[in-house]
Amino acid sequence: MKKLLKPALFYVAISGFIALSGCTNSQKKSASNVNAVQKDSLIDYVAQRLPIYEKVKLTTNLNLLTVNDRKVLPLLIQAAEIMDGLFWKQSYPQRDSLLATIKDEKTRDFVNINYGPWDRLNNDKPFVAGVGNRPDGLFFYPAGLTKSAIEKSNLPDKFGAYSVIRKDSTGKLSTIPYHVLYAKELQNASSLLKQAALIADDAGLKKYLNLRADALVSDNFTASDYAWLDMKTNGLDIIIGPIENYEDKLFNARTGYEAYVLVKDKEWSKRLAKYVKMLPDLQRNLPVEAKYKTETPGTDSELNAYDVVYYAGNCNAGSKTIAVNLPNDEKIQQEKGTRRSQLKNAMKAKFDKIMVPIAKELIDADQQKYITFDAFFANIMFHEVAHGLGIKKTITGKGFVREALKEQYSWLEEGKADILGLYMVTGLLKKGELKGDVKDYYTTFMAGILRSVRFGVAEAHGKANMQCFNYFEAKGAFERSPQGVYKVNFDKFATAMNDLSAFIITLQGNGDKVAVEKAQKSAVISKDLQADLDRLTKKNIPVDVVFEQGVDVLGVK
């Protein structure tokens, strides 16, 4: 891990150097060169990159909520805001000193979007002078501590999800639990959830909020995860805490704080309820050897549709999540299942502002009619459902797949969910359980790949989509014209889908980290594809969205 320059010190040194009234001509020239480099390579870069985000206002119909729910909502948003601050401490602890040195307003905005000075949608490229490259272990581990040194250490909880590793002045390593390191902030968030629980009408929500409040200050989330899955009649929801481990690119172990504040769309949720019950049958028919599909997916899971009214922390950094499958605990998944939450309003915004313009530019004119929101919604929804299919525990005695694959786990799991989601759609269409033409789902999936690869291969979903794109291209699942327009071959698309499903499940079941590392090398963007993606940028088609959100936007106090 490369040790970073402290940005505040770098900028103080530079500004002090320029401000000296007694500078020699050579010094003034040197200072001028520094400014020129900053402007040409950084400020101009940011000015070009900032427009890739389209502003979207997060609102919902609050009239559907009870009087008490409207009182609960601001408390949940306040708790979410605390998670936002905690994620900043994880992603870039020197935020205030960094922002204090930046005079360019666009650069400040870009820092806030990325939760730090690295461009998340361009392979973590630094865009502030002096910060260096993003450490793989970010700030979960001491600067300069190698991956090998951690692996060889006798530290308890060295791969813990809810702790950091620190080194004292003597060089001794220790782990500090999150609930100790962030005690003050977590206590404040816990108190807000307790207040919300007192007001909440729904018994399930009340129980969950109380248990989640306790979990935040103990790092013991199991009871609250079960309570969250037990909620059935709630109108409001909040996903809150240290959840995903995408930020830790060293071991894929440490989790980042985040929160979603959600308003349930009960009518849409009712329409989705039937699909979870079909998981065992879909599991049995997976296109892979029998030994890789002996697990039985939980059927107590739920599919729900929500309007999201607040994003905070990890889920708000760079590309915005539009569907969630939780909890991540494999034991709970096997015993109880998961809840798949579709964030409908955010999803619709991405479809209208990004997917449709991409399809008009890159999808064959005769196939553009197959790009539909229903197919987009279903592909994303079944991506989340598909996290429950396949295999959670290796068949080679290496424990859970997550443990065996470590930092290679996240991108491959996202790739599995993508391809098995499409497999589910295909199977449900054949059974008559899903309406529409398979051409809609396949073409929309193709356009979805072209959307997601713009996130860059440093991001798990982008890497998964890039690997899928290259696999499908090799199988002839689509053709690219000399003009850079893509046309789906529907028969070969189905074959490639089955082959890639078997390939990924086998990699996971074997827990073969070396083979997965080899597979990830195919997740590269070709010159032709990059040229096509560059056309999207020149057409000012956004890559993702940034939200206007909060109590003022919603009109609640």
Side-chain angles (χ1 to χ4, degrees):
M1 188 185 303
K2 184 180 287 186
K3 191 171 183 178
L4 299 180
L5 289 171
K6 290 188 177 179
L9 295 177
F10 176 88
Y11 276 92
V12 167
I14 291 295
S15 60
F17 176 69
I18 294 171
L20 288 173
S21 59
C23 291
T24 65
N25 286 335
S26 61
Q27 286 174 321
K28 289 177 181 178
K29 184 177 180 181
S30 177
S32 176
N33 287 342
V34 170
N35 277 337
V37 170
Q38 284 183 292
K39 184 179 190 304
D40 294 341
S41 65
L42 299 175
I43 293 177
D44 286 352
Y45 172 83
V46 170
Q48 293 171 3
R49 293 290 292 166
L50 191 58
I52 71 171
Y53 291 95
E54 179 80 11
K55 286 186 178 179
V56 172
K57 189 174 288 187
L58 285 181
T59 59
T60 191
N61 184 2
L62 296 180
N63 293 326
L64 299 177
L65 296 178
T66 67
V67 172
N68 278 358
D69 277 349
R70 286 198 289 272
K71 294 177 181 177
V72 167
L73 193 55
L75 295 171
L76 301 185
I77 291 174
Q78 289 177 52
E81 289 171 341
I82 293 173
M83 298 301 108
D84 203 66
L86 288 178
F87 183 67
W88 264 109
K89 289 190 173 185
Q90 295 178 310
S91 61
Y92 203 80
Q94 309 99 328
R95 173 186 61 176
D96 292 343
S97 61
L98 173 66
L99 290 173
T101 64
I102 298 172
K103 305 306 178 187
D104 178 59
E105 186 176 345
K106 290 181 178 179
T107 301
R108 292 171 65 88
D109 288 344
F110 208 51
V111 167
N112 283 319
I113 289 171
N114 286 282
Y115 286 76
W118 300 292
D119 187 349
R120 289 173 177 268
L121 301 192
N122 190 17
N123 303 319
D124 292 322
K125 178 183 175 68
F127 59 86
V128 175
V131 299
N133 294 326
R134 179 198 188 277
D136 285 343
L138 209 56
F139 299 97
F140 299 112
Y141 308 94
L145 187 65
T146 66
K147 185 175 181 179
S148 175
I150 296 170
E151 289 174 328
K152 293 176 181 177
S153 74
N154 294 320
L155 271 178
D157 202 38
K158 63 183 175 183
F159 301 130
Y162 310 121
S163 68
V164 298
I165 295 178
R166 292 291 182 258
K167 182 166 63 173
D168 66 18
S169 59
T170 68
K172 182 180 179 182
L173 299 177
S174 63
T175 54
I176 306 175
Y178 284 179
H179 72 271
V180 173
L181 188 62
Y182 308 121
K184 181 180 178 181
E185 294 93 335
L186 293 172
Q187 186 57 60
N188 290 339
S190 178
S191 296
L192 287 163
L193 295 187
K194 293 279 189 181
Q195 291 176 50
L198 288 172
I199 304 170
D201 294 314
D202 185 80
L205 177 62
K206 188 183 291 285
K207 180 180 179 181
Y208 165 64
L209 289 174
N210 276 318
L211 288 173
R212 200 64 175 183
D214 294 337
L216 287 176
V217 295
S218 68
D219 292 329
N220 185 355
F221 294 94
T222 302
S224 65
D225 282 342
Y226 278 112
W228 184 65
L229 291 174
D230 285 337
M231 286 195 306
K232 307 294 182 184
T233 57
N234 54 306
L236 289 180
D237 197 355
I238 182 169
I239 299 169
I240 185 168
I243 298 171
E244 302 290 1
N245 49 19
Y246 302 131
E247 291 296 289
D248 179 3
K249 297 181 182 181
L250 198 64
F251 290 110
N252 206 222
R254 264 72 197 184
T255 51
Y257 280 96
E258 64 183 347
Y260 307 79
V261 180
L262 307 168
V263 177
K264 185 184 285 185
D265 187 321
K266 294 186 178 180
E267 286 303 312
W268 271 72
S269 297
K270 187 176 180 181
R271 286 161 52 188
L272 305 179
K274 65 178 182 179
Y275 294 117
V276 174
K277 304 300 180 186
M278 301 175 185
L279 281 174
D281 185 55
L282 290 163
Q283 173 83 354
R284 284 191 291 271
N285 291 308
L286 285 172
V288 69
E289 291 181 57
K291 61 184 177 180
Y292 294 101
K293 52 184 178 179
T294 59
E295 297 176 9
T296 303
T299 56
D300 196 30
S301 303
E302 280 198 21
L303 279 175
N304 288 296
Y306 294 91
D307 278 344
V308 55
V309 295
Y310 202 84
Y311 282 76
N314 202 168
C315 61
N316 194 43
S319 61
K320 309 302 184 292
T321 304
I322 50 179
V324 184
N325 176 59
L326 292 170
N328 285 327
D329 186 314
E330 290 91 346
K331 185 173 182 291
I332 297 176
Q333 289 180 5
Q334 289 181 321
E335 290 182 2
K336 188 91 172 171
T338 60
R339 171 171 283 138
R340 286 87 173 189
S341 305
Q342 315 305 305
L343 312 185
K344 187 164 63 68
N345 57 341
M347 199 182 293
K348 188 67 165 64
K350 289 201 183 190
F351 180 79
D352 291 341
K353 296 180 182 296
I354 302 173
M355 273 284 286
V356 171
I358 286 175
K360 287 180 178 178
E361 184 66 26
L362 296 185
I363 297 297
D364 180 81
D366 291 337
Q367 293 189 344
Q368 288 179 18
K369 61 189 174 185
Y370 300 130
I371 306 293
T372 69
F373 178 69
D374 284 350
F376 183 60
F377 183 93
N379 285 342
I380 292 171
M381 175 177 69
F382 287 113
H383 165 105
E384 299 304 332
V385 176
H387 278 298
L389 289 177
I391 193 162
K392 301 295 179 187
K393 216 166 194 177
T394 64
I395 63 171
T396 54
K398 296 180 181 178
F400 285 112
V401 175
R402 183 188 299 270
E403 298 166 350
L405 299 185
K406 292 187 172 64
E407 77 279 2
Q408 296 296 330
Y409 171 80
S410 288
W411 80 267
L412 190 66
E413 175 62 20
E414 294 305 329
K416 181 205 81 172
D418 279 340
I419 201 65
L420 290 191
L422 193 65
Y423 157 80
M424 288 186 69
V425 163
T426 305
L428 292 171
L429 284 168
K430 289 178 180 177
K431 291 174 179 288
E433 298 289 353
L434 193 63
K435 295 180 180 179
D437 187 334
V438 72
K439 294 178 181 178
D440 293 355
Y441 297 92
Y442 285 5
T443 310
T444 301
F445 184 89
M446 182 70 216
I449 292 177
L450 294 169
R451 178 184 74 89
S452 294
V453 296
R454 297 176 81 199
F455 297 157
V457 296
E459 195 269 346
H461 298 80
K463 183 181 289 187
N465 275 268
M466 198 60 252
Q467 193 261 352
C468 179
F469 178 94
N470 288 333
Y471 190 96
F472 272 39
E473 184 176 40
K475 294 284 185 177
F478 62 84
E479 299 171 1
R480 178 188 179 275
S481 75
Q483 293 75 36
V485 174
Y486 295 80
K487 185 173 185 178
V488 174
N489 181 314
F490 297 108
D491 291 335
K492 291 183 178 179
F493 212 83
T495 300
M497 171 191 71
N498 287 330
D499 290 348
L500 183 55
S501 297
F503 177 67
I504 291 177
I505 295 172
T506 301
L507 284 176
Q508 289 187 322
N510 291 342
D512 189 342
K513 189 164 174 282
V514 173
V516 178
E517 288 170 344
K518 182 179 179 181
Q520 75 147 347
K521 292 179 181 178
S522 67
V524 293
I525 299 177
S526 68
K527 288 183 179 180
D528 283 344
L529 176 58
Q530 188 59 61
D532 299 334
L533 300 181
D534 289 343
R535 277 166 40 213
L536 301 180
T537 302
K538 290 175 183 176
K539 295 271 186 176
N540 295 318
I541 298 171
V543 177
D544 213 85
V545 293
V546 61
F547 299 120
E548 297 176 6
Q549 58 179 359
V551 292
D552 292 337
V553 173
L554 287 170
V556 296
K557 295 182 179 179

